[in-house]
Amino acid sequence: MIHDVAICGAGPAGSYAGYLLARQGLDVALIDKAVFPREKPCGGALSRKALELVDFDLQPVVQRRVTGAWLAFGGRAVRHDANGVVAVMTERVELDAFLVERARAAGARFLPGTALQRVTAGADDVSIATSAGELRTRYLLGADGVASAVRARVFGRDAIQYAPAVEALVYAPPDVVARFADRVLLEVGGMPQGYGWVFGKRDHLNVGVFSVRGASGIRAHLAAFRARYPALARYARTRELGHPIPVRHATAVEHGRVWLLGDAAGLVESVLGEGIYFALKSAVLAARAFATARGAPRVGEYAALVRCELEPELAAARRLARACYARPGITFEHIARNAHASRLFLGLVTGEVGYRECFVRALAEMPAWMVARREPVVPVGAI
């Protein structure tokens, strides 16, 4: 038996690609080395633009709806509220299992606990050796995360660059968790060349730090970030989880009949380290390549879509991240505290503004922001 498509990795990119391709009538095998449901370190925020990419309701796995943010720096914070939902909070253990079930319901065959061992790509098909036996497929999609086995075996181990992030699951009392129920906290400069975050979940807070440049002593930076907020520092019941985040995407996302999606391709933006939107978008682009060619994509079709629709945005996000994090004090005073500039920033999350547009407008409008009225601040201890 030969499958039309085999997908390695059942996270958002792989599962949603499996769903979309099975809906086209293709024979899809979705494999993952883990047995689901499985825990996955991740902030678990789904932006509004990510929600709008998915053509079914994700409400069953939504824990919180975010309608605003606290933007902080230097012991001070400014509050911003949006018109409507900016993002929702999920847990990856629930989200990924839900997406897998939608792929299965669409007709994809799911093989959990199946580890990739070897890939042999031919002119007309791909042979995959797994812990559960041999698979043959016309196309192989690597959606198996930042440490992608598909990428390592076909594209090379050094195809992407990544930086560490670390998060703590803080099991605070319900009244403390409720403070962040509909408003996230983002601290520019929460660590050097990066930021810190606080996301409210159903029964805990997800607290973390990330730097686009990477940094040594990242757990010490997390401890220092938590110490600045009394609501985070006093609770001992925590779990810390570390994970790498790609900060530069792969130079190639297509090698013959083998394609890379999501984190496996390094498709993560550098401002917030957000990757779920780009994972889902890469699945949409892969499905479009198959649909346009009626199940037999032309060589380079998927890579061209990524190059056209994702790469310019990711490049602009890198420039924006460097500008924002190089001088966090200026970023806070002239962007976070500026009502117009902060709305532009929130537009990045909702999808109303692209990274290229944001970068260009920030350069053009910065002189006006420098003299604009500042929004009032509160001490972070009051949050």
Side-chain angles (χ1 to χ4, degrees), residues 340 344 353 356-366 369:
H340 176 73
L344 189 63
V353 179
R356 285 177 293 176
E357 179 186 355
C358 185
F359 184 73
V360 171
R361 286 177 59 182
L363 289 178
E365 298 171 20
M366 181 60 77
W369 297 350

Side-chain angles (χ1 to χ4, degrees), residues 226-250:
R226 287 186 59 191
R228 288 193 285 276
Y229 297 87
L232 307 178
R234 68 172 67 102
Y235 302 107
R237 187 177 170 229
T238 66
R239 292 177 57 213
E240 288 192 4
L241 304 168
H243 53 99
I245 294 180
V247 291
R248 186 170 292 275
H249 63 270

